[in-house]
Amino acid sequence: MSDILILTHVDHCTPGHLAAVLESRGIGFSVVRVDRGELAGYDLDRPRAVALMGGPMSVNDNLPWIATEIAALKHFIQRDIPLLGHCLGGQLIARALGAAVHRMPYTESGWQTLVRRDQANPNPWLAHVPKEFPMFQWHGDTFDLPVGAQWLLSSPWCPNQGFAWGDKVLALQGHPEMTEALVRDWLRDWSSQLDETQPSQQGVQQMLRDLPTRVAALNQIAEGFYRHWLDLSAIGTPR
């Protein structure tokens, strides 16, 4: 076990660039596959920061491990440690905070423009991002805002793209963790699910266009989120 816990739910939704950031800083981390029952028996009082990755399932699916993960998240929230959710991970955080997660009438996929919604009360989670910026998306569910949450981000197809709850919780609907390899792997394995005739979805060629440049810009956005998450955890400072 380590001070950083990353919860994953399927083979193809890895920590991606988050793992690269942690490795570059020499910070150890534990990756737990919740869908394989690996969270059972885990010491929930050990982590000082937790990240949740994505997955193709819905928070509303009748899967026994979802209740286990939501119970763990409630414990982490009570402990007041930094939580950062990516896509399904953001939806799980929303559910743990009592908000609904529901199906959209369409899938949102590809590079979509996010707009900041915190202008009246700028949030430190977004201190590094401009008013508008692209984020990689691939989801058909979305979360409502929990009571007490601050609405942070929206896209043309999904109003609730991100929220903060308190000062240590960030839930995102998109995928800041993407790397070039992850984008290509997803498109190789899952492009049959796309319908580029739908305005909310991009096709394979659109997603691959200028991919190195797009991913490099996304990595900078992600690094700002991860830097703030780590700063809040005080990893590397005396307890």
Side-chain angles (χ1 to χ4, degrees), residues 20-96:
V21 168
L22 295 173
E23 289 165 355
S24 72
R25 292 182 172 217
I27 298 173
F29 57 93
S30 298
V31 177
V32 167
R33 279 289 295 270
V34 186
D35 61 306
R36 293 177 177 168
E38 294 177 5
L39 192 56
Y42 196 91
D43 182 2
L44 301 181
D45 291 317
R46 172 62 190 270
R48 296 170 66 184
V50 178
L52 301 87
M53 309 314 296
M57 59 287 295
S58 170
V59 172
N60 299 311
D61 288 345
N62 186 25
L63 298 169
W65 57 264
I66 290 179
T68 301
E69 185 164 6
I70 290 172
L73 292 177
K74 290 179 178 179
H75 184 81
F76 296 144
I77 291 166
Q78 186 176 36
R79 286 185 56 215
D80 194 32
I81 63 173
L83 298 181
L84 175 54
H86 306 67
C87 199
L88 174 67
Q91 296 164 6
L92 286 160
I93 289 174
R95 176 59 61 83

Side-chain angles (χ1 to χ4, degrees), residues 48-215:
R48 296 170 66 184
V50 178
L52 301 87
M53 309 314 296
M57 59 287 295
S58 170
V59 172
N60 299 311
D61 288 345
N62 186 25
L63 298 169
W65 57 264
I66 290 179
T68 301
E69 185 164 6
I70 290 172
L73 292 177
K74 290 179 178 179
H75 184 81
F76 296 144
I77 291 166
Q78 186 176 36
R79 286 185 56 215
D80 194 32
I81 63 173
L83 298 181
L84 175 54
H86 306 67
C87 199
L88 174 67
Q91 296 164 6
L92 286 160
I93 289 174
R95 176 59 61 83
L97 289 168
V101 176
H102 51 86
R103 194 73 180 168
M104 302 194 304
Y106 42 75
T107 295
E108 181 183 39
S109 64
W111 300 96
Q112 304 288 348
T113 299
L114 301 193
V115 178
R116 288 182 62 165
R117 298 299 181 183
D118 67 329
Q119 290 90 340
N121 183 22
N123 190 286
W125 283 104
L126 302 185
H128 65 293
V129 302
K131 182 179 178 180
E132 298 186 8
F133 60 96
M135 176 73 72
F136 193 81
Q137 306 281 341
W138 201 317
H139 66 103
D141 282 6
T142 185
F143 47 66
D144 289 344
L145 297 180
V147 174
Q150 182 183 5
W151 183 34
L152 295 184
L153 298 164
S154 69
S155 76
W157 303 107
C158 181
N160 295 333
Q161 279 285 345
F163 68 82
W165 190 87
D167 62 349
K168 294 189 178 70
V169 176
L170 176 65
L172 298 171
Q173 187 56 78
H175 288 279
E177 80 282 9
M178 299 305 288
T179 62
E180 285 190 58
L182 272 179
V183 173
R184 294 184 188 280
D185 287 348
W186 287 15
L187 291 176
R188 181 194 65 221
D189 296 337
W190 304 104
S191 61
S192 62
Q193 298 183 1
L194 297 172
D195 179 3
E196 60 186 292
T197 67
Q198 300 298 313
S200 63
Q201 301 185 43
Q202 290 183 345
V204 172
Q205 293 310 310
Q206 280 182 289
M207 291 193 206
L208 291 176
R209 188 175 302 133
D210 299 322
L211 186 62
T213 300
R214 283 173 154 172
V215 168

